[in-house]
Amino acid sequence: MSVSALLFPGQGSHAEGMEDPFRGHPLLQRGLELLGYDPFDRLAEGTRYQQPALFLCSVAAWATWRESGEGADTRPAAAAGHSLGEYAALVAAEALAFDDAVVLVDERAAAMADAAALQPGGMVALLGGDAVAVRALALRLGLTVANDNAPGQVVLSGPLEAVAAAEEAAREETGARARRLDVGGAFHSPLMEPAAERLAAALAHTPVAQPRLPVYANGSAAPFADVRRELAENLLRPVRWRETLLAMRAAGVERFVELGPGAVLTALVKRTLAAA
């Protein structure tokens, strides 16, 4: 049996109708009860509702997979989630109770949406190009490298004016193609400081257990050492996804199982491992 790791997607993997395969699943229904609203009806309104909706789908996908023949025959050796996906990964590892995670994700979404309204920002993906030049461009414009997703796929985050300047200069200064992301704020940047403070306050009252399998944290590309502290800090830290995949591979993981809407993370796995 191959050594497997579970992967859970983050915001950006959401899509209309993603909940259809899971309507009626007990976990999804329980999540809707705890929220007191249906986030799937309000996906177009952005972060505030996209995050709870995606979390519920990811956990329902994990539960469905676990109950299936494939899941029953697989004992994962590790898990990781891209940004928001960390919460589903921690539920799968039994570090967070599902009910507590729903409340946390709801507060995270609200805090990030509020922080974005307070200090408007955005994100831009730079595809291809020279990695050193991309980081130099970010430094020149005062942007944060928010996501290192795979070789040739880096996301910059920060004030709207600086993001627009990066779009304009990317091709000439780095050789990369710029693509503005459809997000409501400068996530994983210092502009999320108010959200990190709110999340830390919520986490302080949340029970956390020792994970039953290693869950790799975005900010360190290593297993969580302090779940409460790192979850809050990760709102400000880059998502070191490329390094996370390589670290899990070095730890012996041979197979990656993506659980949630879409297949974005599977594509990043292929790209990262092909370049390793």
Side-chain angles (χ1 to χ4, degrees):
M1 184 183 298
S2 60
V3 179
S4 301
L6 307 181
L7 304 180
F8 297 89
Q11 189 177 348
S13 292
H14 59 276
E16 293 289 342
M18 64 182 178
E19 77 279 12
D20 291 347
F22 310 113
R23 282 290 186 187
H25 191 284
L27 277 180
L28 189 140
Q29 295 306 120
R30 172 60 178 164
L32 294 178
E33 291 173 7
L34 290 167
L35 290 173
Y37 64 88
D38 190 331
F40 301 104
D41 291 339
R42 306 179 71 174
L43 287 181
E45 296 180 45
T47 296
R48 179 65 186 87
Y49 301 102
Q50 289 167 1
Q51 290 193 14
L54 182 58
F55 169 76
L56 292 183
C57 282
S58 294
V59 175
W62 163 71
T64 301
W65 172 83
R66 187 180 56 173
E67 295 156 3
S68 72
E70 180 185 4
D73 294 336
T74 303
R75 289 192 175 183
H82 192 287
S83 191
L84 170 69
E86 288 185 316
Y87 293 79
L90 288 164
V91 169
E94 299 182 22
L96 289 176
F98 173 73
D99 285 14
D100 293 330
V102 171
V103 174
L104 279 177
V105 167
D106 194 44
E107 175 64 6
R108 181 185 193 266
M112 291 176 72
D114 289 347
L118 186 65
Q119 300 186 78
M123 304 177 78
V124 59
L126 298 189
L127 308 175
D130 181 77
V132 174
V134 167
R135 291 180 182 275
L137 176 65
L139 182 63
R140 179 174 74 77
L141 295 174
L143 292 169
T144 298
V145 176
N147 297 7
D148 179 1
N149 285 330
Q153 188 177 133
V154 172
V155 176
L156 306 183
S157 179
L160 290 173
E161 299 82 2
V163 169
E167 282 186 283
E168 190 72 24
R171 180 69 74 180
E172 181 177 346
E173 293 191 25
T174 73
R177 178 169 59 89
R179 179 170 61 85
R180 182 78 71 99
L181 300 188
D182 183 18
V183 295
F187 303 148
H188 299 286
S189 84
L191 296 186
M192 286 292 110
E193 183 66 43
E197 292 176 359
R198 276 179 59 177
L199 184 57
L203 283 160
H205 304 288
T206 302
V208 177
Q210 182 67 28
R212 295 191 64 178
L213 69 157
V215 179
Y216 283 68
N218 289 174
S220 65
F224 275 96
D226 184 333
V227 170
R228 291 188 184 90
R229 175 180 59 79
E230 291 178 87
L231 280 179
E233 291 180 353
N234 284 353
L235 287 187
L236 309 174
R237 291 176 168 181
V239 176
R240 296 166 58 182
W241 192 250
R242 176 183 58 83
E243 294 173 78
T244 295
L245 297 176
L246 293 175
M248 287 193 286
R249 175 67 98 187
V253 171
E254 302 168 288
R255 178 171 172 260
F256 294 88
V257 180
E258 182 172 2
L259 297 168
V264 171
L265 301 185
T266 299
L268 295 179
V269 169
K270 291 178 181 177
R271 185 165 187 166
T272 298
L273 298 185

